[in-house]
Amino acid sequence: MHWQILIGMLLGIIFGLLMASVENGKDIVQDWVDPFGKIFVNLLKLIAVPLIVASLIKGISDLKDISKFRNMGLRTVVIYVTTTVFAITIGLATVNIAKPGADVSQATVEKLKSEYSANKSVQDKIKNATSQKEKGPLQFVVDMVPDNALKAMSNNKMMLQVIVFTIFLGISLLLIGEKQAQPLKNFFDSLNEVVLKMVDLIMLFAPFAVFALLATVVVTADDPEILWALSKYAGVVVFGLFLMIIFYMIFVVLYAKKNPIWFLSKLSPAQLLAFSTSSSAATLPVTMERVEEHIGVDKEVSSFVLPVGATINMDGTSLYQAVAAVFIMQVLWPEGLTFSNQLTIVLTALMASIGSAAVPGAGMVMLVIVLDTIGFPPDLLPIGLALIFAIDRPLDMCRTVINVTGDATVSTVVAKSLGKLGTPKRKDWDDHYDEVK
Ligand code: ASP
């Protein structure tokens, strides 16, 4: 599977480059190729909510003891916070050592400023961040509790509300006793199997979809000259993200006692999709399928750890936020680069990664909040974002891979620590095809 996806990606890039060089090529790709990528992402998002609900209920109702759930919840949150703080520290260390901001000439700053600071997307990100900032400190807890379960389920951005409702439902189901709970349990068991089968079926389409997604990214990419001017900054982000992979693999070897190459090859279809879609929420169904059926994490663990991780654990995003914040300061506001401001970045980037939505470009919105908290001059904000905007999409693709890998690693480690890491039982889309052919 991962080879087919890789070939699809490669052909998509080549096709995108070819089309970018012909007249009207960009329009042709946007009109005739991009829709197939969108359909694929929509299909993945379509099954995310049913999958979370069905698998979380199955996971909880299989528990023999609720205290186990509390134990798992606590462990998950502690490990998620630890890995995120580590990611931010790596980001800060690399950007302070490499100093990518020192190499950006005044001419480049002017060019980026004139091209992007009035850009609608940059302005929207600042507006979006301002409205988030105006909320009270406990608003995020209030936002986690839905007042209407169906409304929460009808909006992919309210994943945390869906998780809270489902945990509540699952625990109540446990408390009504085995006999009464059975019909609902059977229903969700069966729904869970159906949705996982849908993942298998959607994945048949993945190699073509990544072709479409990458061809679109390439034809809509910015001027290569601008991208080149930002290459040192991009290099620092990518290097930091690479260090995170090594960090995860150390965890996999030491705690989960698994071969890291085996782990990465099992997870790779999810990573490749994270790269192609730039959305950990859209990738979630595939991450769940890979972690459960190919790595062997028990559903009791993966059904909780992965959806929670997709919404609150974004190591790649927080590392990027630390690097981007310091890079922008190196160029525009070097006097703000104090030790205490960098410490504040650790805290705010941690909160920001929890608050970032698992969708393309979300990390940049929260970056505005990080910068604002350390007192970055507001009039320089549009210029700051303009500096990193051109290269944001490729970096978003890379950081999403890390976000997904982090969630998968933590779920494996938590499963191991609870004795819930077993032999994977792989299922294919056509396991029962003969019976209905
Ligand atoms: N695209 C990222 C994700 O979905 C979030 C971000 O960093 O913008 O995980």
Side-chain angles (χ1 to χ4, degrees), residues 278-281 314 317 320 356-364 396 399-400 403:
S278 283
S279 167
S280 12
M314 297 195 182
T317 300
Y320 145 84
S356 299
V359 295
M364 215 170 153
D396 193 0
R399 62 191 191 240
T400 309
N403 292 346

Side-chain angles (χ1 to χ4, degrees), residues 14-312:
I14 297 172
F15 181 70
L17 288 172
L18 276 177
M19 292 309 273
S21 62
V22 302
E23 204 188 329
N24 287 338
K26 182 174 171 186
D27 293 337
I28 295 174
V29 172
Q30 285 184 320
D31 289 345
W32 296 99
V33 179
D34 183 34
F36 295 99
K38 287 201 174 117
I39 293 173
F40 179 74
V41 173
N42 283 353
L43 284 172
L44 287 172
K45 287 186 183 161
L46 168 75
I47 56 171
V49 169
L51 181 61
I52 293 174
V53 173
S55 73
L56 197 49
I57 293 211
K58 171 150 175 56
I60 297 177
S61 59
D62 283 347
L63 286 175
K64 296 281 168 284
D65 160 11
I66 301 188
S67 66
K68 259 204 232 156
F69 189 68
R70 199 177 45 219
N71 203 341
M72 178 170 76
L74 211 69
R75 247 173 238 215
T76 306
V77 172
V78 170
I79 303 182
Y80 274 157
V81 171
T82 315
T83 57
T84 306
V85 170
F86 186 77
I88 300 169
T89 314
I90 289 199
L92 285 178
T94 42
V95 72
N96 277 300
I97 295 170
K99 293 199 179 30
D103 287 3
V104 179
S105 68
Q106 197 52 37
T108 311
V109 175
E110 287 306 321
K111 188 168 182 199
L112 291 166
K113 184 176 147 189
S114 66
E115 214 145 314
Y116 298 107
S117 60
N119 181 300
K120 186 172 174 307
S121 186
V122 167
Q123 294 298 336
D124 282 352
K125 287 190 160 64
I126 297 178
K127 229 187 282 159
N128 199 336
T130 317
S131 69
Q132 300 231 19
K133 212 177 57 197
E134 278 158 7
K135 294 177 175 171
L138 284 183
Q139 188 60 36
F140 81 99
V141 186
V142 176
D143 287 345
M144 275 162 61
V145 185
D147 62 354
N148 182 330
L150 293 182
K151 198 168 111 204
M153 286 185 206
S154 68
N155 185 344
N156 275 332
K157 294 205 178 90
M158 298 188 176
M159 213 108 96
L160 223 45
Q161 292 198 348
V162 175
I163 295 169
V164 168
F165 170 70
T166 312
I167 292 176
F168 192 22
L169 186 72
I171 291 180
S172 307
L173 190 69
L174 270 184
L175 294 176
I176 62 174
E178 186 78 37
K179 194 161 155 269
Q180 297 269 46
Q182 205 55 49
L184 209 53
K185 260 180 81 172
N186 289 345
F187 170 78
F188 283 113
D189 272 10
S190 164
L191 180 63
N192 183 48
E193 288 297 318
V194 173
V195 184
L196 282 172
K197 196 57 77 188
M198 286 170 134
V199 178
D200 291 338
L201 290 170
I202 295 171
M203 284 304 278
L204 294 177
F205 184 50
F208 306 99
V210 294
F211 172 89
L213 288 165
L214 284 183
T216 310
V217 168
V218 172
V219 291
T220 51
D222 281 282
D223 177 359
E225 215 179 290
I226 286 192
L227 298 185
W228 184 244
L230 296 170
S231 58
K232 188 163 179 196
Y233 153 69
V236 172
V237 175
V238 173
F239 179 68
L241 295 175
F242 175 71
L243 291 183
M244 281 310 287
I245 294 264
I246 296 183
F247 169 68
Y248 295 140
M249 290 312 106
I250 293 177
F251 255 99
V252 167
V253 174
L254 293 184
Y255 289 93
K257 308 264 184 276
K258 294 282 181 198
N259 180 333
I261 307 288
W262 171 86
F263 180 85
L264 287 176
S265 76
K266 295 293 168 194
L267 187 63
S268 57
Q271 293 172 311
L272 295 174
L273 281 195
F275 184 79
S276 310
T277 62
S278 283
S279 167
S280 12
T283 312
L284 178 64
V286 182
T287 318
M288 287 180 90
E289 192 255 1
R290 297 308 297 186
V291 165
E292 284 167 21
E293 293 180 9
H294 297 259
I295 294 178
V297 172
D298 195 291
K299 193 177 294 297
E300 274 177 34
V301 176
S302 62
S303 65
F304 171 76
V305 179
L306 290 175
V308 169
T311 33
I312 70 162

